[in-house]
Amino acid sequence: MQQLKEKKIPVMEIFGPTVQGEGMVIGQKTMFIRTAGCDYSCAWCDSSFTWDGSAKDEIRQLTVNEIVEELHQTGDDSFSHVTISGGNPALLRHMGGLVDALHEQEITVALETQGSIWQDWFLEIDDLTLSPKPPSSMMKPNMAILDEIMDRLKVRHVSTYSLKVVIFDEKDLDFAQELHERYPGIPFYIQTGNDQVHEENDKRLVSDLISRYEWLIDRVMERPVLNRVRVLPQLHTYVWGNKRGV
């Protein structure tokens, strides 16, 4: 019988160690694995190169062992946490093999996805962030699928997964509030969005992001329904601007 070939993972970049700039593990020292491909095309996407074809020559088809080896070559022994990002890594059914391999080395694994697709290996993720996209993204989340995902995750302890919404305007905040009311009790993070993903002047970018963060804090303080949410900046942009690979 012919031996089946190991399925490979489309990797855009592997970098770190650095700090996680978003969501439930903000500030966490981590390595990043960024996969290619996405089922969304958000209007303000800060990693559109993973799906718009502009960086298709950078995509490498790697085995699990090759990814783990490169993680250690890049990060040496200075990490014990890995973040799988994209694009949307949830497109890859066989990603569970990588998660298992990392766990075998006692490495904690985080994942962020928009909640448009379920994969059974979600149940093995240590820090799972579901980030449904708000109206400003020009995408429309499938709430029936998101309901199903949230229901399946109930078998895990609540602290291992969370919801996060990126906010650009009042309509986005209304969406976040509706989501928070739909899934009460789930840790919920609201984060400022960056609509200047091509800005090269870091001072100008950070000044704008700080103003956005102040605006978002003020708006959240006005809404009693949002008493239990956490309001975050996009931390890495304050330090490195729009630079990739940090």
Side-chain angles (χ1 to χ4, degrees):
M1 184 179 294
Q2 186 177 4
Q3 188 174 7
L4 293 175
K5 291 184 178 179
E6 180 181 356
K7 289 186 177 180
K8 297 185 177 182
I9 295 171
V11 175
M12 184 66 71
E13 54 186 354
I14 294 174
F15 61 92
T18 184
V19 294
Q20 171 60 263
E22 305 184 2
M24 65 188 293
V25 287
I26 189 169
Q28 169 69 53
K29 183 180 181 182
T30 189
M31 293 290 293
F32 272 89
I33 303 167
R34 188 182 299 281
T35 62
C38 194
D39 50 328
Y40 278 19
S41 54
C42 296
W44 36 251
C45 181
D46 61 0
S47 53
S48 58
F49 59 89
T50 62
W51 52 262
D52 66 5
S54 63
K56 61 182 179 181
D57 294 338
E58 299 178 33
I59 300 172
R60 295 176 295 152
Q61 298 290 338
L62 302 179
T63 65
V64 166
N65 287 339
E66 288 170 337
I67 292 172
V68 173
E69 182 179 352
E70 185 167 333
L71 282 168
H72 287 295
Q73 288 176 346
T74 305
D76 196 23
D77 60 352
S78 293
F79 70 97
S80 58
H81 187 279
V82 167
T83 299
I84 303 172
S85 184
N88 185 9
L91 292 171
L92 305 171
R93 285 188 178 182
H94 54 290
M95 183 67 79
L98 175 59
V99 177
D100 290 342
L102 292 171
H103 281 162
E104 287 174 6
Q105 298 191 16
E106 299 184 348
I107 296 171
T108 304
V109 183
L111 173 81
E112 179 167 331
T113 179
Q114 58 260 43
S116 59
I117 300 169
W118 168 262
Q119 297 292 358
D120 289 342
W121 52 265
F122 282 6
L123 296 174
E124 306 304 319
I125 297 295
D126 300 290
D127 304 313
L128 175 60
T129 297
L130 297 169
S131 184
K133 304 310 175 188
S136 63
S137 70
M138 305 303 289
M139 298 289 105
K140 187 174 181 180
N142 186 320
M143 299 308 296
I145 293 177
L146 188 58
D147 285 344
E148 180 184 355
I149 291 173
M150 298 301 290
D151 188 59
R152 291 190 182 205
L153 288 173
K154 287 179 181 178
V155 301
R156 292 183 61 94
H157 190 276
V158 69
S159 65
T160 62
Y161 66 99
S162 66
L163 287 161
K164 186 196 79 176
V165 178
V166 177
I167 305 296
F168 286 84
D169 55 35
E170 290 282 355
K171 289 184 179 179
D172 288 354
L173 193 56
D174 291 340
F175 170 80
Q177 180 169 317
E178 291 169 6
L179 204 65
H180 187 43
E181 292 177 302
R182 191 183 187 99
Y183 307 113
I186 305 302
F188 199 95
Y189 298 82
I190 292 176
Q191 180 179 299
T192 49
N194 175 11
D195 66 349
Q196 300 183 58
V197 295
H198 300 295
E199 176 61 70
E200 296 180 358
N201 187 313
D202 290 350
K203 289 185 178 180
R204 187 157 51 221
L205 173 64
V206 172
S207 177
D208 179 72
L209 290 174
I210 290 173
S211 295
R212 285 178 170 274
Y213 188 36
E214 183 179 10
W215 170 84
L216 182 57
I217 290 171
D218 289 344
R219 297 289 81 75
V220 170
M221 297 308 111
E222 297 169 352
R223 300 189 182 209
V225 175
L226 300 179
N227 284 354
R228 296 184 181 274
V229 307
R230 299 185 183 185
V231 188
L232 302 179
Q234 201 175 35
L235 183 62
H236 56 283
T237 56
Y238 284 35
V239 182
W240 296 291
N242 287 318
K243 186 178 179 182
R244 276 180 58 183
V246 290

